[in-house]
Amino acid sequence: MSDDKDYKFINEKIVQKKMHPVKKFFIGLIVVLFLGVVFGVTERIVFEVTGEVLPHFNLFKKNHSIELRKNEEVASGASIATESSVKEAKESKPETDKKQVKIIEKRVSADLSDYKQALSQFGKLANEQNQSVVEVQSVVKGKDWFENPYDAVNKAAGYIIAVQNDEAYILTDYKSIKSADNIKVKFKQGFLAEGIIKNYSANLELALVMVNLKGIAKKDDIEPLKFGGISYKSIGEPIMAIGNPNGNIYSVLPGVITGAETSLIEDDYSFDSQFTDIDIAKNGDAVFVDFDGNVVGIYYKGNQDVTQIINISKIMTLLEKMMNDEPLPYIGIKSKAFDGAEEKTGISGGVMVDSVTKGSPADDAGFKEGDIIYEMDGVHIENMSDYESFLESKKPKNKVKVLIYRVTRNEGKKIELEVEIGDSRGIK
């Protein structure tokens, strides 16, 4: 009898049959070749599709941004060219029509002939402007020590600002003609004519002389100055001074704007002004024009440290009044920058008096330095613009009630003053 053992139907091991090495090699080779074909076809399809679609997306475009920016700068004149630099910009076109566009950058050198040409153009413009400049001769009669009569002649530059109805209107310096017994005007066109004082503003030292042109053959050749431009100019813009900037009539000096716009306050009015590097002689005068021939402004004689230009915009309003024989309302105060002091005064805004002109209507009415004008005839005065507008609405000899705030002995109080409007034409 046999020993007890675990029962098994078949008592043997199953061993996996090994593949023949040659057969295994050929099967692997077939698999590799098949996968190569599949991946090759797939890759071709992908590149064909992406070649038509993906170039429309910025992500797949070639990075030409730097090169294009350079080319754009060359086209606009913003880049600095070197003499031998050559930049190529490839224009993206269908493969059937590919072309190369070459942009050649070159340095343009200037020589003395270019400088001479620029000076020639400046001289031409200066000559054109001088056609509107005249010589105003102020004749003062006198007697010498031996009681012999003589005529003293003072010469000043004048500027033709308008010609209408056979009358020429000439702007000139008031001080040079205010004592004249008679006035003669010598025109650039070669003739001499009698002139009369039409109007004046003693505060701004401006006078308007009128000349009758009837019977003068060359009157049609007279051209007034141009006032169509923008009076405010940016720093660095070129201008020229005409008239007699160096003390000689018909002299011309070039320069640029050197200072930003600022306020210039004369009696009762505020003017916009700028600065220039043009040096005006002590006995000189000037009107400033830009290189398009438009008047920028007039020379302000009250500043001896720098050359200050009163912008022509507001002066034009004054000149129109002078030409039309309209009065120039006048009180006689100078204001200064004032932001208001409502917390202390209880008053919104106002105009602070910086000084009072001696002998003026404001002086006679009792205005003082430091007074704050906040109401005139029931009209609230918030700032200098309100003050000017109110003054321009009045006529000489109108009486106006003015409310002011005055501080005395550290105590503020409201005071009512009455002032009679004057006329600046009456100031000598």
Side-chain angles (χ1 to χ4, degrees), residues 199-308:
N199 216 325
Y200 65 88
S201 171
N203 297 331
L204 293 174
E205 300 182 18
L206 298 177
L208 195 64
V209 173
M210 186 181 71
V211 176
N212 193 324
L213 299 175
K214 288 182 179 179
I216 296 177
K218 295 183 179 181
K219 64 182 180 181
D220 294 334
D221 296 334
I222 298 174
E223 288 290 337
L225 293 169
K226 291 167 55 180
F227 296 94
I230 300 174
S231 59
Y232 176 77
K233 296 294 179 182
S234 301
I235 294 176
E237 288 197 53
I239 58 172
M240 65 171 65
I242 64 174
N244 61 336
N246 66 4
N248 299 310
I249 296 176
Y250 299 119
S251 58
V252 179
L253 293 177
V256 297
I257 295 294
T258 58
E261 191 170 7
T262 185
S263 292
L264 171 66
I265 299 175
E266 281 296 319
D267 282 4
D268 299 310
Y269 294 96
S270 174
F271 298 90
D272 295 329
S273 69
Q274 292 183 277
F275 300 94
T276 177
D277 61 348
I278 301 175
D279 189 16
I280 307 299
K282 289 183 178 180
N283 63 333
D285 191 15
V287 162
F288 300 90
V289 298
D290 60 24
F291 278 22
D292 292 322
N294 294 305
V295 175
V296 174
I298 63 175
Y299 174 52
Y300 175 60
K301 303 176 182 67
N303 194 339
Q304 299 299 322
D305 297 326
V306 293
T307 303
Q308 193 166 2

Side-chain angles (χ1 to χ4, degrees), residues 67-348:
E67 184 174 340
L68 290 176
R69 278 200 299 271
K70 289 183 179 178
N71 291 334
E72 290 172 356
E73 289 174 355
V74 172
S76 64
S79 62
I80 301 176
T82 58
E83 191 169 355
S84 61
S85 61
V86 178
K87 303 294 181 182
E88 295 185 0
K90 293 184 178 180
E91 185 175 355
S92 190
K93 290 185 178 181
E95 292 188 79
T96 56
D97 186 26
K98 285 187 177 180
K99 292 182 179 179
Q100 289 185 343
V101 179
K102 292 184 179 180
I103 299 178
I104 302 176
E105 303 174 358
K106 291 184 178 180
R107 183 188 300 275
V108 179
S109 59
D111 54 23
L112 289 177
S113 63
D114 297 306
Y115 180 64
K116 182 178 179 180
Q117 184 178 6
L119 291 179
S120 176
Q121 292 176 348
F122 176 84
K124 181 180 179 181
L125 177 60
N127 184 60
E128 291 174 357
Q129 299 306 308
N130 272 333
Q131 300 305 309
S132 302
V133 177
V134 298
E135 181 183 273
V136 179
Q137 301 176 357
S138 173
V139 181
V140 179
K141 296 184 179 297
K143 292 183 179 181
D144 60 20
W145 285 5
F146 301 100
E147 295 297 316
N148 296 318
Y150 71 91
D151 291 342
V153 179
N154 181 37
K155 299 178 181 180
Y159 311 92
I160 304 171
I161 62 170
V163 177
Q164 58 181 16
N165 300 326
D166 285 334
E167 293 175 339
Y169 293 90
I170 297 163
L171 185 68
T172 190
D173 177 54
Y174 173 63
K175 286 185 177 180
S176 66
I177 64 171
K178 69 177 183 179
S179 301
D181 293 308
N182 58 71
I183 298 171
K184 295 183 181 294
V185 179
K186 184 178 180 180
F187 287 78
K188 185 74 170 176
Q189 288 73 18
F191 60 89
L192 193 67
E194 295 284 339
I196 60 171
I197 299 178
K198 173 74 173 177
N199 216 325
Y200 65 88
S201 171
N203 297 331
L204 293 174
E205 300 182 18
L206 298 177
L208 195 64
V209 173
M210 186 181 71
V211 176
N212 193 324
L213 299 175
K214 288 182 179 179
I216 296 177
K218 295 183 179 181
K219 64 182 180 181
D220 294 334
D221 296 334
I222 298 174
E223 288 290 337
L225 293 169
K226 291 167 55 180
F227 296 94
I230 300 174
S231 59
Y232 176 77
K233 296 294 179 182
S234 301
I235 294 176
E237 288 197 53
I239 58 172
M240 65 171 65
I242 64 174
N244 61 336
N246 66 4
N248 299 310
I249 296 176
Y250 299 119
S251 58
V252 179
L253 293 177
V256 297
I257 295 294
T258 58
E261 191 170 7
T262 185
S263 292
L264 171 66
I265 299 175
E266 281 296 319
D267 282 4
D268 299 310
Y269 294 96
S270 174
F271 298 90
D272 295 329
S273 69
Q274 292 183 277
F275 300 94
T276 177
D277 61 348
I278 301 175
D279 189 16
I280 307 299
K282 289 183 178 180
N283 63 333
D285 191 15
V287 162
F288 300 90
V289 298
D290 60 24
F291 278 22
D292 292 322
N294 294 305
V295 175
V296 174
I298 63 175
Y299 174 52
Y300 175 60
K301 303 176 182 67
N303 194 339
Q304 299 299 322
D305 297 326
V306 293
T307 303
Q308 193 166 2
I309 304 171
I310 303 177
N311 287 7
I312 198 63
S313 54
K314 202 164 189 177
I315 293 293
M316 288 301 298
T317 301
L318 176 66
L319 294 178
E320 287 175 1
K321 287 180 176 290
M322 294 170 70
M323 288 177 61
N324 296 324
D325 283 326
E326 295 181 22
L328 306 175
Y330 167 72
I331 290 180
I333 68 164
K334 287 185 179 180
S335 66
K336 63 181 177 181
F338 178 62
D339 296 328
E342 189 170 359
E343 293 181 359
K344 295 182 179 180
T345 64
I347 300 167
S348 171

